[in-house]
Amino acid sequence: HTSAGLTEHGDVRRIAPDWTVSTSPLARHRDRLLRDQLLPLLIMATVAGFLILMVGLGLTGVLWQSITRRTQEIGLRRALGATPGQIRWQILGELLALAALAAGAGSLIILQAPLLGIFGEIPLQVYLFALTLTALGLCLLVVVCGLYPGWLATRIRPAQALQYE
């Protein structure tokens, strides 16, 4: 018996007959609790990853189409002496400028959430850090999606581009 005098299930049932008493190792309880909490996060992370992949593929396709439509412009720049690196940086710079504009507009909208108390009592520093990390992630996604279309733009030969109709 312990100092309280209760160690057996029978003792507990005698004091509280309508209670259900069971014992299990703490490790098993912790594993079950973690599994119950992490499963929804894992499902949401999988869905978010799939959606980011789809956005990336769509962005790459739109950029590829844009490069195809701008073949004459890129060919003219190449004919005037632009290097493949300058062409690539032009494409990526335009993408980053658009992404920064979109991130700025989105930030203005989402910065209202702490003022309205939508997310509860999240400290402002955590909120701003998450917003900054999201904007950097957006820029990284845009750069990764723009690498292949930017590389395609550098493959355009001036003579072929100027004949393109």
Side-chain angles (χ1 to χ4, degrees), residues 140-158:
L140 179 65
L141 177 67
V142 166
V143 167
V144 168
C145 292
L147 288 176
Y148 184 66
W151 178 79
L152 285 176
T154 64
R155 310 305 302 164
I156 296 173
R157 294 191 182 123

Side-chain angles (χ1 to χ4, degrees), residues 44-150:
M44 288 188 331
T46 302
V47 170
F50 178 74
L51 291 174
I52 289 172
L53 177 66
M54 292 296 105
V55 166
L57 290 173
L59 183 59
T60 302
V62 168
L63 296 174
W64 194 342
Q65 182 182 15
S66 173
I67 296 299
T68 302
R69 279 189 284 143
R70 295 173 63 187
T71 300
Q72 290 179 330
E73 171 196 339
I74 294 168
L76 183 59
R77 285 204 63 224
R78 293 274 295 159
L80 292 173
T83 65
Q86 289 172 329
I87 298 292
R88 187 177 317 111
W89 280 110
Q90 174 192 355
I91 301 298
L92 291 177
E94 290 171 359
L95 292 175
L96 284 173
L98 286 173
L101 190 65
S107 296
L108 289 176
I109 294 170
I110 202 70
L111 278 174
Q112 296 176 27
L115 298 174
L116 299 173
I118 293 175
F119 297 122
E121 296 298 322
I122 297 175
L124 185 60
Q125 294 83 6
V126 172
Y127 192 80
L128 293 176
F129 178 74
L131 187 61
T132 303
L133 198 61
T134 302
L136 291 175
L138 173 69
C139 289
L140 179 65
L141 177 67
V142 166
V143 167
V144 168
C145 292
L147 288 176
Y148 184 66

Side-chain angles (χ1 to χ4, degrees), residues 1 5-17 19-24:
H1 291 299
L6 301 175
T7 59
E8 302 291 326
H9 289 299
D11 294 338
V12 175
R13 282 192 206 114
R14 191 170 12 94
I15 294 172
W19 286 12
T20 303
V21 179
S22 66
T23 58
S24 64

